[in-house]
């Protein structure tokens, strides 16, 4: 196990307190972080790096009932989207496909996952939650990447090193939890709404409870499935990770 101070001094991943870094060979960082959560607690940051995949997950310990605390998933998505925007080519955009897919310049680059301690009901305070990110690090195994135009990778788009992305994500995550505490969840969800594809006029989309609502020109609207049910519905990943 490496602490934040140790990794910073080694010039690898600089993490602010209270994060504790755990590197793992297990590609499923969501599962690994969930295994660590009961004993290691909040701030545990699990990182996996291997050919084709960059994945990281953070353990959270909420104070609100799950009906409110689940919004931490959207907060995590904003944090990783903003981290990617900070470390990628500035002329290209990072966009979100509700609720969990990350796209870069209109191509899939990864997505977010979420797990809550088993047995937690909507009115219960979860013992722990895990937010995880999986990103396509490279597509070097593809002989003809151009045949797969719906996906891209960090390497192809010349992103900054993975360590910088993770460090910036960790900082943004702390910042947005602070904004949630002091300014309300709308301060964060409004940033999420701004990144959803396709872009729409302000106010056309909004978050109501745990659902995405889009107002139609006729004055009606469409409502998504509840957040925890909608996770995975974009089919951005399969059993091996993000789809190429």
């Amino acid at each position: 196990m490496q602490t934040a101070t140790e990794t910073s001094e080694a010039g690898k991943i600089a993490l602010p307190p209270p994060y504790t870094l755990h590197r793992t060979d297990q590609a499923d960082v969501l599962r690994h972080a969930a295994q660590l959560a009961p004993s290691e607690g909040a701030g545990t940051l699990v990182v996996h790096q291997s050919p084709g995949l960059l994945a990281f997950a953070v353990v959270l310990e909420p104070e609100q009932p799950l009906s409110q605390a689940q919004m931490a998933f959207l907060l995590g998505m904003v944090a990783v989207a903003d981290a990617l925007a900070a470390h990628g080519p500035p002329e290209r955009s990072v966009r979100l496909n509700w609720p969990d897919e990350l796209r870069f310049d209109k191509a899939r680059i990864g997505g977010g996952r979420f797990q809550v301690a088993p047995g937690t009901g909507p009115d219960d305070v979860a013992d722990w939650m895990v937010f995880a990110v999986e990103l396509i690090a490279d597509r070097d195994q593809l002989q003809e990447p151009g045949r797969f135009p719906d996906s891209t990778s960090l390497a192809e788009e010349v992103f900054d090193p993975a360590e910088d992305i993770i460090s910036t994500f960790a900082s943004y995550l702390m910042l947005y939890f602070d904004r949630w505490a002091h300014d309300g969840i709308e301060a964060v969800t409004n940033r999420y709404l701004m990144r959803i594809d396709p872009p729409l006029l302000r106010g056309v989309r909004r978050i109501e409870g745990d659902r995405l609502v889009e107002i139609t020109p006729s004055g009606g609207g469409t409502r998504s499935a509840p957040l925890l049910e909608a996770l995975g519905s974009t089919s951005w990943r399969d059993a091996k990770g993000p789809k190429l």
Side-chain angles (χ1 to χ4, degrees), residues 148-232:
F148 299 86
D150 198 43
S151 66
T152 189
S153 71
L154 299 174
E156 290 168 278
E157 304 295 348
V158 198
F159 274 80
D160 292 335
E163 293 80 6
D164 294 343
I165 295 172
I166 296 169
S167 177
T168 300
F169 160 78
S171 295
Y172 272 132
L173 193 67
M174 291 182 63
L175 171 64
Y176 294 146
F177 270 118
D178 184 71
R179 287 186 180 174
W180 182 359
H182 291 90
D183 302 324
I185 189 60
E186 292 80 8
V188 179
T189 56
N190 285 340
R191 293 190 63 83
Y192 181 99
L193 293 172
M194 290 171 58
R195 288 199 180 274
I196 294 181
D197 257 344
L200 296 176
L201 293 174
R202 186 178 180 88
V204 175
R205 287 193 183 104
R206 61 175 179 262
I207 304 294
E208 289 187 359
D210 60 352
R211 297 172 187 256
L212 175 69
V213 175
E214 295 186 356
I215 306 302
T216 61
S218 62
T222 59
R223 292 167 59 85
S224 74
L227 175 60
L228 296 185
E229 293 181 18
L231 295 179

Side-chain angles (χ1 to χ4, degrees), residues 108-172:
R108 178 175 55 256
I109 200 167
R113 302 174 66 197
F114 200 56
Q115 186 170 334
V116 179
T120 305
D123 297 326
D124 299 331
V125 176
D127 290 337
W128 52 263
M129 306 186 304
V130 175
F131 174 78
V133 180
E134 294 178 353
L135 300 170
I136 302 172
D138 61 69
R139 302 189 301 168
D140 292 348
Q141 74 275 33
L142 299 179
Q143 294 183 351
E144 299 180 62
R147 294 182 57 189
F148 299 86
D150 198 43
S151 66
T152 189
S153 71
L154 299 174
E156 290 168 278
E157 304 295 348
V158 198
F159 274 80
D160 292 335
E163 293 80 6
D164 294 343
I165 295 172
I166 296 169
S167 177
T168 300
F169 160 78
S171 295
Y172 272 132

